[in-house]
Amino acid sequence: MIPVPPAPAAIAVYALVNGVLFCLYGYDKHTARAGGWRIPEYTLLGAALCGPFGAYGAMLLFRHKTQKMKFYLVPVFMLLHIAGILYVAGALVFPSV
């Protein structure tokens, strides 16, 4: 069985990561409008693998990177995270199965 960290701390860290990703995508959109230095796309995608909810929320709110085909991976990352969350929740609810 996979050892699960204390739930409140894990939830807080996960929310923080998604919040940082939301801000990162917002910053990149801001610099895109201002013509400044941009964050590389692979950095944004790699970060979205860790916090897809914040990244996807920022993509929708700021209309950022929504037309790029490779950023269609962000919803796939969300599905993978949902599956992982459900797995961990199931392990907590039914530890003996």
Side-chain angles (χ1 to χ4, degrees):
M1 171 98 102
I2 299 172
V4 180
I11 292 169
V13 169
Y14 192 68
L16 179 67
V17 168
N18 278 283
V20 168
L21 260 292
F22 184 87
C23 294
L24 187 69
Y25 271 70
Y27 174 76
D28 190 55
K29 179 64 174 190
H30 171 73
T31 56
R33 288 182 179 165
W37 175 82
R38 302 285 305 278
I39 299 170
E41 289 183 347
Y42 287 106
T43 301
L44 291 173
L45 273 176
L49 187 59
C50 299
F53 296 102
Y56 191 65
M59 285 174 61
L60 295 179
L61 182 67
F62 303 126
R63 295 188 193 125
H64 189 50
K65 302 289 186 187
T66 56
Q67 300 299 316
K68 298 253 185 176
M69 286 297 284
K70 62 178 107 175
F71 281 87
Y72 288 179
L73 286 172
V74 175
V76 174
F77 297 159
M78 280 180 42
L79 291 174
L80 291 173
H81 276 246
I82 290 169
I85 290 167
L86 291 175
Y87 175 78
V88 170
L92 290 173
V93 173
F94 305 110
S96 62
V97 175

